[in-house]
Amino acid sequence: MNRRRFLQTAAAASLGLLNLPVIGRAFAPSELADNSRFDIILVGTGYGSAVTALRLAEKGKRCLMLEMGMDWQASGMKFSRMAWAEKQSTWLKTHTIAPFGNYRVFPKFTGALDRIDFDQVHVYAGRGVGGGSLVNGGMSVTPRRDYFEEIFPQLDAQAFYDKYFPLANRELGVSVMPESYYRQSAYYQFSRVGEQEGCAAGYTVQKVPNVYDYDYMQKEEAGLVPKSGLQDEVIYGNNHGKKDLTKTYLKKALATGNVTILGLHRVDRIADQGDGSYALSVSQINTEGETVAQKTYHTGHLFLGAGSLGTTELLLKSHAEGTLPKLDGEVGRYWGNNGNTMAARAGLKHALGSKQASIPAAGLAKWTKGDDAVFAEIAPFPTGVDLRVALYLVINRVPKYGQLGYNAAAKRLELAWGKEHNAHMVRNAGQFLDKMNAANGGWRSTIFPKGVEPKICYHPLGGCVLGKATDAYGRLNRHKGIYITDGALIPASIGVNPYVTITALAEYCIEHVYQQDFA
Ligand code: FDA
């Protein structure tokens, strides 16, 4: 060990900092001690944070990222398959929390998939370095321009479609499955049938780009490499094939040498110090979720990327507990589930195949100007047998917003979201099923009530909306030095799977924030 490393290690040991789950080399262990001050702290390591960290780090800014989940790469653990979920599948619960079939029990562990339950909506989220990119289906969809303009009338749409969406797609490694492979793969029979049935029912087929590596997938099918997307791996993580953020934005950010990520570090509270800086109360947890250390970190530039619910909760909770007294009443508003509704048909005439890839490749659209607009992702049902059941994740408009609040007495985030918010989604998804059945045969499946489950939300959006709770570039109102980077910026709905939009918005915001606040 050289002298510098020896001194650092000795200092770290005296401060109790050995065993810190550290990734990256921006800060020596001794610089991570309690009460340390950092120029830039980012909360979370999902899309918004990963983009922001890369753009700051490549300009030479040192960034500390705090992530409550694990560093999966360093852990050496494998992600669970869906068919046989183990403790690492699920965030600190004793059983699985998938949309159905939750019969597996295990000890609590800081697993990859979390679910936050409200009365009429269950919100899923990824936990770990890489955030939602670890557990999502990789569907990388640029929104329709007319709908993007409707949701964000204040933005220069031309700039987004010329610059920020192409940039986001490039950096994320998005590609479209080769048609020759799609047409002949046994694993996409379900999707081809879905397309054919959708056409018969009058829907427009839309191919869905993905970040899955299709060269790898073809090798999976040929039996040349370990299977992942072709072996029911997705919502608990993919062990191979998927280009999650640890292989794209975060990898590049860490390669600059200007980023350090602390895993298993949860930010509990933000306190406005009144001098242009913020004190973060941080709990370091172990893999059972127990707090093993508490510290306070200080910063003048705080980028929040804890996801729609995580970011909004941190702000509302800090306000309710009196440490962020000036918080704007716009925080918590314009929340929505991106119109997510699961729908299922049974009794299909055509075989869907006993082999079904877990990575979706196509959707069916009828995106009208009214509340009946739908975009239905043709989802797999990879059970290993062909049950002739077709699943869809139906995306709708969100005409009625939800509102988040923090109940300080009960110490919990609350959401005003009732059956009335779901009503048009239930109607639309039901009509979608009925049209598909009328054109192709089959009936509404009983895995969900009348074939429709509106409580499942994979795409939480809003709570700190761009231009409402923030300025034009994500700076939080009334709080110089706090920036919102994530899905909280989008008001409730974007009409397609959202992370390409979240990525593009983060690119747009940090470009302007860097020029104005850092250059
Ligand atoms: P994101 O949720 O990615 O990251 C937030 C991070 O902050 C997490 O790592 C979290 O652990 C951390 N965090 C939260 N609170 C914290 C705290 N207090 N302290 C420290 N860290 C904290 N989208 C899409 O476009 N295509 C798709 O195919 C899918 N499929 C899909 C499937 C499933 C099962 C899920 C759950 C989600 C999807 N999504 C999706 C949605 C997509 O993954 C989601 O929109 C983005 O991950 C949101 O990105 P954000 O940057 O907002 O936060």
Side-chain angles (χ1 to χ4, degrees):
M1 189 184 291
N2 67 30
R3 187 177 151 72
R4 182 162 174 265
R5 183 83 188 121
F6 172 78
L7 290 174
Q8 276 182 0
T9 308
S14 73
L15 293 164
L17 292 167
L18 291 181
N19 299 324
L20 262 189
V22 185
I23 321 165
R25 52 181 198 276
F27 300 98
S30 57
E31 293 178 278
L32 299 167
D34 185 20
N35 257 316
S36 293
R37 185 168 293 277
F38 303 86
D39 183 29
I40 298 167
I41 293 182
L42 301 100
V43 182
T45 53
Y47 293 91
S49 278
V51 170
T52 309
L54 171 60
R55 297 308 171 210
L56 290 167
E58 68 187 3
K59 299 247 170 41
K61 302 289 174 196
R62 291 201 303 165
C63 300
L64 176 66
M65 302 182 85
L66 300 172
E67 167 56 55
M68 69 196 264
M70 290 175 29
D71 171 10
W72 288 92
Q73 281 179 348
S75 78
M77 289 183 89
K78 292 192 78 174
F79 291 116
S80 268
R81 290 176 59 177
M82 289 191 285
W84 197 249
E86 297 171 275
K87 67 175 182 180
Q88 64 267 37
S89 63
T90 305
W91 180 258
L92 297 176
K93 292 183 184 62
T94 53
H95 55 85
T96 53
I97 46 164
F100 42 79
N102 292 308
Y103 53 88
R104 296 280 295 161
V105 292
F106 34 63
K108 277 189 185 179
F109 189 77
T110 48
L113 185 70
D114 195 3
R115 194 179 81 189
I116 303 104
D117 289 352
F118 302 99
D119 190 30
Q120 290 302 319
V121 61
H122 298 163
V123 180
Y124 287 87
R127 299 281 176 239
V129 173
S133 76
L134 299 173
V135 299
N136 67 36
M139 297 176 72
S140 306
V141 196
T142 300
R144 290 169 59 105
R145 182 166 172 160
D146 57 350
Y147 196 55
F148 180 78
E149 287 173 349
E150 190 180 319
I151 296 292
F152 289 113
Q154 77 275 29
L155 294 179
D156 176 357
Q158 194 66 41
F160 270 81
Y161 285 81
D162 285 350
K163 179 175 177 184
Y164 301 106
F165 283 125
L167 174 62
N169 280 302
R170 209 164 49 242
E171 293 283 10
L172 291 166
V174 175
S175 69
V176 179
M177 186 184 293
E179 190 64 13
S180 54
Y181 175 65
Y182 180 71
R183 288 283 145 221
Q184 56 79 32
S185 169
Y187 289 85
Y188 281 95
Q189 167 85 3
F190 79 95
S191 191
R192 295 192 297 270
V193 169
E195 285 192 6
Q196 190 189 317
E197 291 189 328
C199 283
Y203 292 92
T204 305
V205 171
Q206 199 176 315
K207 280 286 180 314
V208 173
N210 206 289
V211 291
Y212 205 86
D213 178 342
Y214 289 121
D215 289 338
Y216 189 89
M217 185 180 274
Q218 291 179 57
K219 289 187 188 140
E220 287 180 56
E221 188 155 359
L224 301 173
V225 292
K227 286 192 171 58
S228 181
L230 299 191
Q231 185 187 251
D232 67 77
E233 288 181 359
V234 67
I235 62 169
Y236 305 135
N238 280 91
N239 289 300
H240 311 279
K242 189 166 75 183
K243 286 170 275 173
D244 63 43
L245 288 168
T246 66
K247 297 173 182 83
T248 58
Y249 275 101
L250 288 174
K251 186 176 179 185
K252 278 176 101 170
L254 287 163
T256 64
N258 288 324
V259 171
T260 285
I261 303 174
L262 283 179
L264 295 174
H265 276 63
R266 186 187 65 227
V267 179
D268 295 326
R269 193 172 300 98
I270 305 165
D272 187 345
Q273 301 298 91
D275 60 358
S277 78
Y278 299 92
L280 306 189
S281 307
V282 182
S283 299
Q284 183 183 341
I285 58 174
N286 62 20
T287 53
E288 282 80 55
E290 298 154 345
T291 300
V292 293
Q294 284 194 306
K295 36 198 129 174
T296 304
Y297 285 156
H298 303 265
T299 187
H301 298 108
L302 175 60
F303 289 87
L304 297 181
S308 159
L309 290 187
T311 287
T312 312
E313 177 172 8
L314 254 181
L315 293 171
L316 292 172
K317 178 182 178 208
S318 303
H319 178 64
E321 292 178 350
T323 59
L324 267 190
K326 292 183 298 187
L327 200 70
D328 191 338
E330 289 289 307
V331 175
R333 298 186 66 198
Y334 311 105
W335 189 86
N337 64 350
N338 202 24
N340 283 186
T341 307
M342 289 290 282
R345 294 167 55 224
L348 268 71
K349 278 194 189 144
H350 301 286
L352 299 176
S354 55
K355 296 172 172 178
Q356 296 188 22
S358 52
I359 302 298
L364 303 173
K366 197 175 270 181
W367 198 263
T368 59
K369 291 268 176 220
D371 286 356
D372 56 347
V374 289
F375 173 64
E377 158 192 331
I378 302 170
F381 196 20
T383 58
V385 278
D386 187 355
L387 300 171
R388 301 274 179 119
V389 170
L391 274 187
Y392 309 91
L393 177 68
V394 183
I395 292 174
N396 299 269
R397 285 170 185 264
V398 179
K400 188 172 168 58
Y401 298 120
Q403 169 132 16
L404 291 158
Y406 191 79
N407 181 332
K411 294 189 181 318
R412 65 162 185 258
L413 185 69
E414 291 185 342
L415 173 64
W417 184 272
K419 285 189 175 161
E420 69 281 11
H421 289 85
N422 293 336
H424 77 289
M425 302 173 201
V426 173
R427 184 198 66 215
N428 288 350
Q431 282 174 0
F432 169 79
L433 294 177
D434 294 345
K435 279 187 192 158
M436 292 290 278
N437 291 333
N440 302 289
W443 54 85
R444 294 188 188 201
S445 160
T446 51
I447 48 173
F448 304 126
K450 296 187 182 160
V452 176
E453 179 51 271
K455 284 191 184 171
I456 296 165
C457 169
Y458 286 162
H459 305 160
L461 295 173
C464 293
V465 164
L466 191 73
K468 301 274 190 195
T470 77
D471 74 356
Y473 304 117
R475 297 182 189 93
L476 186 67
N477 294 347
R478 305 183 190 171
H479 291 85
K480 189 168 182 314
I482 299 187
Y483 307 84
I484 312 300
T485 67
D486 56 20
L489 291 170
I490 302 176
S493 147
I494 195 66
V496 291
N497 316 58
Y499 72 63
V500 169
T501 308
I502 296 170
T503 305
L505 280 172
E507 289 280 14
Y508 166 77
C509 288
I510 191 58
E511 180 185 286
H512 292 85
V513 161
Y514 182 82
Q515 284 160 5
Q516 295 171 12
D517 296 6
F518 289 91

